[in-house]
Amino acid sequence: MIKYSVNNSVAFVSWNMESEPMNVINQASTKAFAEAMETAIADTNVKGIIITSEKDSFIVGADLKMIRKMFNQKRDVETVFNEAKALNLLFRKFETCGKPIVACINGHALGGGFEICLMAHYRIALNNPKTKIGLPEAKIGLLPGAGGTQRLPRLIGIEKSAPLLLEGKELNPAEALKMGLIHELAETKEEMFEKATKWILANPKYIQPWDERNSKGMIVGKSNYNIPGGNIQSPQGAMLMLPGTAMMYNKTYGNYPAQIAIMRCVYEGLQVPIEKALMIESRYFTQLLMSKEAKNMVRTLFFSIGEANKGAARPKHIPEAKIQKIGILGAGMMGSGIAYVSALAGLEVILKDTTLENAEKSNGIYGKEYSRNLVKTQISKGKMTQEQGEALLNRIKPTADYADLQGCDLVIEAVFENREVKATVTKETEAIIPTTAVFGSNTSTLPITSLAEVSVRPENFIGIHFFSPVDKMPLVEIIIGQKTSDYALAVTIDYVKKIKKTPIVVNDSRGFYTSRCFGTYTAEGMEMLAEGINPILIENAGKMAGMPVGPLAVSDEVSLDLAYKVMKQTEADTGIKIEDIPGGKVVKKFVEELNRIGKKVKKGFYEYPEDGQKYLWEGLKEIYPLKAEQPDIEHLKKRLLHRQALEAVRCLEEGVLRTVEDADVGSILAWGFPAYTGGTLSYIEMIGLEQFVKDCDELADKYGERFRPTEKLREMAKNGELFYKEAEVAEMV
Ligand code: NAD
């Protein structure tokens, strides 16, 4: 697990975990690491220690399998705290051992891996721009609990460490050098070890800048260490902490315990010597390890997304598809984005529209032009070379000729949301493409099974639902029609993996999963408006609950005529009148009477002045006079989140959703359901099923049956069941 050798009086402690693809910190590796370090410290012939790795990456952090298991065991706070502080005590012991330690960072050094580097006295990294260095814990609801919140700000100051600690920003070695995170770069491993050995021999008595020797010669933390850029209690420190805290709350609305804990670690820890500071960090780390937020975030954001990315839903018996050529029908907003991400993944792309001009430049900005503009931006940001950009563009062929689709492995249709147009292009395309080719529709509303009716190969017909803007949104919702085969699903998942997006797989139904649940958020906002609730309160309730945008603002973005079209279609298909659909009356009024259909026409719930910020339209007050008594914001937050979560339960029970994990992953990645909850179903577990059912009954009595819990959910709550079988997970990992 750890290779130990001594060369020229320098000990090499080199990580090489056989059981894991990358080195991670768990009980076994920590034990082996500690033994190797102790050996080096005890050996009088050893003048210094180099920590490195035999693998391509250095150490990528704590073993999250171990953390997940811990979450699912019932543990008391004292046990958790003792474990949390053990690593801090160990690293502190190494840091003060009296021998110089150098971290030779040969690849990714993340989380606990980078905290080992921070404990070391000197850091040299291999100059590979692909290497990531940083502390990403905050992204999954945790904090760097092995000294990161203390050593990093002591090293580079509070201001520079804030984005690294609070947002988990990762750097490449050159950037890390510039920021002062590492001391030197090396081009080869030999050079790196040579430099490290030289530094060790030149600095036999090196101690950290935040340490000093006491009268007995022992290394202890300085009580008057000056933090670069200003101490906490200095005017500069106050200038950073006060607005910093405000900015953090402005972004998170206090929903994310990790960010609050990190701010506290920095504020409290930097005022005391490092020994005490590390214990403060361990206390806050313990708090997070006991939190529901961290448990849910680790589960969804790390494990479930990771599994989905690996193709968990892919039928295993189908060999991997060798997708090389893809056809895209419709070079509008969606088609042009799909063309870009496909060409970026190295695929040959045929981008077909009704005319060559459209395929080149639909609406002036779409078509192949869209990729040209994105390539330009990427080059100007230094993220793509000129040659890479040209090669990408050369892979996209705009055309108006179906014949160009010959030999395509996959075709994605993104023409107008119109049944007849879609039927025509399906037939014309199937006449040209190989019989093995898969045909995917990017429809946002039309059931896949019904679109597949015109297909001569319905088993190869599938839904591939992208989100806008395609190049930024990470999720693809794959929809299985009644006749869709395992083969079509496998090919589609292989494609989604290739373009580096996360797939979820759902069964066919109106609005599928994501549009259906997202629609409940906007509709609830409109219902509140119609009740006379202050629109400012509504919008703030959405954001304070953790949604990225208020329900009215996002309705404007998506456009109300689209909601109107979908509701009209629902009316036609189900007989339910638009006025009886939640949000329907408001949508109808805004589209039919007021012609305020949203941002694209610069008037909706908001006004969009040419030269200023949008603001809520004054006319709202006249149409929906404010109620004398306004509800509490907490009540509104609950109403907005419960509504979405309950719809996810219905999707699960109706079989639209195939897995609990897909519900959570889809909700966060598709429409921005708050990540701190872990997703729609994790949110219910966070509240407790019993409480959720009780809340929903109360909401249903007040606002209508859309809030009424399902019988199955009621049963689950009564029997103490959960969506996730975590006890099994605790056993399994
Ligand atoms: P769009 O109007 O921007 O683009 C449609 C394109 O299809 C136009 O360029 C048009 O010229 C072309 N087209 C029309 N008939 C054609 C034909 N017979 N052959 C080839 N091209 C043809 O529309 P969009 O927003 O890109 O939406 C496309 C599809 O994606 C729709 O089904 C829509 O519901 C779905 N969708 C849209 C979004 C979104 O946010 N806009 C999100 C997910 C899915």
Side-chain angles (χ1 to χ4, degrees), residues 260-290:
I260 299 173
I262 290 169
M263 287 303 269
R264 288 182 176 158
C265 282
V266 170
Y267 181 76
E268 294 170 28
L270 294 191
Q271 304 190 49
V272 294
I274 187 127
E275 293 87 354
K276 282 209 174 80
L278 293 172
M279 292 304 101
I280 291 174
E281 180 189 88
S282 292
R283 283 209 183 90
Y284 283 115
F285 189 46
T286 305
Q287 231 177 50
L288 295 183
L289 283 175
M290 307 291 289

Side-chain angles (χ1 to χ4, degrees), residues 94-143:
F94 300 154
E95 185 178 47
T96 56
C97 73
K99 293 187 181 183
I101 303 173
V102 181
C104 282
I105 308 168
N106 57 304
H108 299 327
L110 295 168
F114 185 56
E115 288 174 293
I116 288 184
C117 304
L118 287 170
M119 166 273 281
H121 305 114
Y122 201 71
R123 289 165 286 281
I124 309 173
L126 265 189
N127 189 12
N128 176 358
K130 295 218 168 108
T131 291
K132 292 185 205 159
I133 296 177
L135 300 168
E137 287 88 342
K139 290 198 263 192
I140 47 168
L142 293 169
L143 61 74

Side-chain angles (χ1 to χ4, degrees), residues 231-279:
N231 287 345
I232 293 284
Q233 295 296 357
S234 69
Q236 298 95 311
M239 289 290 286
L240 293 173
M241 285 312 290
L242 291 175
T245 309
M247 270 159 65
M248 185 270 290
Y249 272 95
N250 188 34
K251 271 194 189 160
T252 63
Y253 291 95
N255 287 323
Y256 290 80
Q259 276 68 11
I260 299 173
I262 290 169
M263 287 303 269
R264 288 182 176 158
C265 282
V266 170
Y267 181 76
E268 294 170 28
L270 294 191
Q271 304 190 49
V272 294
I274 187 127
E275 293 87 354
K276 282 209 174 80
L278 293 172
M279 292 304 101

Side-chain angles (χ1 to χ4, degrees), residues 560-568 578 587-588 591-592:
L560 291 162
D561 60 336
L562 185 65
Y564 180 75
K565 258 193 228 156
V566 174
M567 286 175 176
K568 275 286 188 198
I578 188 165
V587 167
K588 191 170 178 207
V591 175
E592 284 184 6

Side-chain angles (χ1 to χ4, degrees), residues 328-336 352-355 358 362-363 366 402 413-418 421-422 424-425 441-446 465-468 558 562:
I328 295 162
L329 309 175
M333 180 162 124
M334 299 305 287
S336 55
K352 188 197 169 300
D353 209 292
T354 42
T355 62
N358 266 351
S362 158
N363 274 335
Y366 298 123
Y402 279 106
E413 164 281 297
V415 298
F416 299 135
E417 189 75 341
N418 174 298
V421 180
K422 288 195 191 290
T424 310
V425 301
S441 173
N442 181 46
T443 176
S444 31
T445 52
L446 303 167
H465 184 201
F466 283 85
F467 299 84
S468 169
V558 177
L562 185 65

Side-chain angles (χ1 to χ4, degrees), residues 24 34 107 227 240 258 264 276 313 321 447 464 469 500 547-548 569 579 601 619 649 662-663 682 714:
V24 287
I227 310 289
L240 293 173
R264 288 182 176 158
K276 282 209 174 80
I464 311 182
K500 296 202 167 62
M547 297 294 295
Q569 190 64 48
E579 290 84 354
V601 296
V649 172
D662 277 355
S682 286
R714 234 181 255 289

